[in-house]
Structure formats: C-alpha cells, structure tokens
Amino acid sequence: MNEFQQVLYKQIDKIQDSNLPTHVKKVVSAVSLCRTNAMKGRVYSCPNGHFSIFMRESCNNRSCPTCQSENKREWNSNTKEKVTNSPHYHLVFKIPSFLYPYILSHYKEFIEILFEASSNTIHKLIKYSFDLTPTTAFISVLHTHGDAYQLHPHIHIVLNSIALSKKQDKILLLDETLFKLDNFNSIYNQILKKELILLHKMHPELGNEFRDNINNLHKENIFVSKKYDSPLPIIDYLSKTIKGNALDLNQVDFLDNGSINLHKKDKSFSFSNHEFVNRYIKHIIPQNIKSIRYSGFYSSASKSKYDLVIQLFGEQCKEETESKINDDSFLNEHHKLHKSCPFCNQRMILLEEVDEFKVPDIVYIKFGKDPPTEELFTRLVA
C-alpha cells in the first residue's frame, strides 16, 4: 500500500458502516486494495531475457490517483490527435454555491444539469448568431474540486472557433463578440434556473429554501478566456485532473502526526487525515456518469463531419497538431514496462499468473514471500 491507501484503509470500516452511497463504499474498497497482495498478480518477461516485472492487478477506477496517472497521459495523447489545430476558447461553467449542501444526495442529477445547461447555452448563443445553425465542436470536462480540494463542481469546455455550415459547404468562424459575458451569463442562468426548478418539482424534499435561492439566481457563473491560438495548452491543463480525479499524490505530504499537507502551485493547505478522506469521498462520482463528453463534430457519431471540416479547413492543421504531439514531453514521462521491454522494446510475454496473496515462483525464489513494491520492481533486471 502507498501512504494514501494506508490513510484510506484505516478509515474503511467507518466508511462501510456509514450511510454513504453504495458507489462510494465500493470505490473506497477498490482503491484501498489496488495493486496490493489482495489482488491477483502477473509476471511479464522480455522474450530476450533482459527484464521481468511482477505486477498486481489495478482497480482502474477513475477515483484512484495511482491508476489515473496512465489514463491521463492516454487521454492527453488521444485528445490532441482528435482536435483540429485551430484557435479554441476555454469556457468554465459553475453552479451557485447554495447547491453544494444538496449535491452528495443528488450527485447524478446536478452533474447532468451542469452538462446540459452548459451545452445548451453554447448551442443557443450560436443559434442566435447565425441564420442557419452550424455544427460546432467542443469537449466538456467535469471538475469537482477547488484549490483546497474542496467540493466545487464546474465544467471546463474547450470550444473550437471554427464551425461547419449547415449546408456543409464552408467553414464559419465564431467571433469573440459572441462571448460577451453579460449575454452569455443571462442565457446560462435562464437555462440553469429552468433545470433546477424541474429538479425541485421532482424532489420537493429539497425544501422551500432551495426554491427561493433558485428564484434569486443572478450571480455570474461563467468564465470565458481569451482565444487560444491552439487547443493544446488547454488540453495539457485539463489532463492533470480529468476523469473525476483531482488528487496528485506528488502534491501531498503525509505526516507522522496524522495530518497531510497539500501543495498547489504557490499555495499550501493542511488537513487532518480524517478531513482529507472526507474531501476525497466528495469527489467520488457515480460510475454511470460520463465525466468527459464530446459534442458536434468532435463526437464519435460525427466522424464524417469531422473529416469534412479537416478537408475544408486544410489538411495542414492536422499535420501540425500531430507534430506537436510527438514533441510533447507530457507523453514521454511514462513507459509501460509490462507492455514492452525497456532495453530492447520487444513485446513482453505473460509468464505466470497467481491468485490473491500468492507469490509467483520466479519472484519467490529471488525475493521470498515479500517481493519488492511495483515501483522498486520496475528498476530491477531479473
């Protein structure tokens, strides 16, 4: 177990006995045991005898900070291949803070409202701005955290500045005047109010105060950045905290006194282990909620439109994007040691599988019943 898992595991009995949602309990259990002896294991070996590695199964849960490190890199690479190398906008849609006390009991409903309201706002603005509604393209990414790892649900949107005309015969440009904050905010709040009122009708137990706060909703809940010449910097930023996991263990110091220090850029925050776990739990979203969504010609259902956009906009934009991907150091930080040998790059062979709490023969002979951790094992040549 790493230090994070140890802190989590110490509170697992209390969590399992609580009235927390079932999906939270399942995630906590899975993350606590991820890559430990309680999971099945496999030995992979280089066919030329250069290198072998013993790995326990991972939980592959999006709330697991260990598992998501690799998934973040893959998402970064795949997304950069997907987007056009055209200017993009970075938008952020928030929900008012009076909703926070209700989120954990209606997590799915609030997240769906956030995705729908932000998406509909963009479509409505563009519809007002063109005689014939074009096909846009944007990627919506859910974040649930603030700087201090507190609950703060919001949607980041990477919006392409180019759109495909309704007749699909030309490219249209989204002008920056579209995103005047007053107009943008009023449309978003109007849509958000409507969705929240419907939620209150479905769940009257939310109470009269909830309804009164909806009626008084007028606060600015949108951020619009300047236009970026390329979407790549935005993707790099979002890659750090995608898929519902905002926790980077490299930013956390676990102290002997039962507390942690969280470092975010030039800020530091201190919590007790108990408070740290409480904050972690609040970011565990139900598994049937997609935390990243693709719209317009970025969606998988619109590949033909995407190909047409590439053709109309110019093939060079795709080529330039791919060249930048290959030079991006973000993708060179990790080597899948169980996939290919780090010495000869040959495909690794599955040598042996073992059940939970069992040790493979090759590992037992060399290290006994207590093999080194996976992190240390990757440095050893067998």
Side-chain angles (χ1 to χ4, degrees), residues 5 28 39 45 57 88 116 140 148 162-163 197 225 238-239 247-248 258 264 269 274 277 282 285 315 322 353 380:
Q5 289 176 298
V28 169
M39 307 291 281
S45 184
E57 286 185 352
H88 280 64
E116 287 298 317
S140 304
I162 63 175
I197 289 172
S225 78
L238 295 179
S239 296
L247 185 60
D248 182 351
K264 289 289 188 74
F269 308 93
H274 177 73
V277 171
K282 291 179 180 178
I285 60 177
E315 192 62 39
E322 290 173 344
E353 291 185 276
L380 302 176

Side-chain angles (χ1 to χ4, degrees), residues 1-11 31-32 34 36 65-66 247-261 273-274 276-277 280 373 375:
M1 286 187 177
N2 58 37
E3 291 178 298
F4 167 70
Q5 289 176 298
Q6 292 174 26
V7 169
L8 196 60
Y9 191 75
K10 287 179 180 178
Q11 299 189 38
V31 173
S32 298
C34 179
T36 67
T66 304
L247 185 60
D248 182 351
L249 296 182
N250 293 321
Q251 297 175 334
V252 182
D253 294 329
F254 295 91
L255 307 179
D256 293 335
N257 63 358
S259 64
I260 68 102
N261 286 335
N273 287 348
H274 177 73
F276 176 61
V277 171
Y280 169 75
T373 62
E375 181 181 358

Side-chain angles (χ1 to χ4, degrees), residues 75 108 111-116 138-142 155-158 288-295 298-299:
W75 184 82
K108 182 177 180 179
I111 296 306
E112 292 297 337
I113 287 174
L114 192 49
F115 271 111
E116 287 298 317
F138 55 92
I139 303 171
S140 304
V141 179
L142 171 67
I155 297 284
H156 289 269
I157 290 185
V158 189
N288 57 350
I289 295 179
K290 290 184 177 180
S291 58
I292 302 176
R293 306 185 186 188
Y294 302 85
S295 302
Y298 280 162
S299 69

Side-chain angles (χ1 to χ4, degrees), residues 1-2 5 9 12 26-43 54-61 64 66-67 352-360 369 371 374:
M1 286 187 177
N2 58 37
Q5 289 176 298
Y9 191 75
I12 195 168
K26 288 182 177 179
V27 169
V28 169
S29 178
V31 173
S32 298
L33 301 177
C34 179
R35 308 187 190 205
T36 67
N37 288 338
M39 307 291 281
K40 293 182 178 180
R42 297 181 179 89
V43 175
F54 172 53
M55 301 180 67
R56 292 288 182 184
E57 286 185 352
S58 60
C59 66
N60 201 31
N61 192 283
C64 178
T66 304
C67 291
E352 187 178 355
E353 291 185 276
V354 295
D355 292 331
E356 300 87 342
F357 303 105
K358 299 291 185 180
V359 179
K369 66 177 182 178
E374 180 184 324

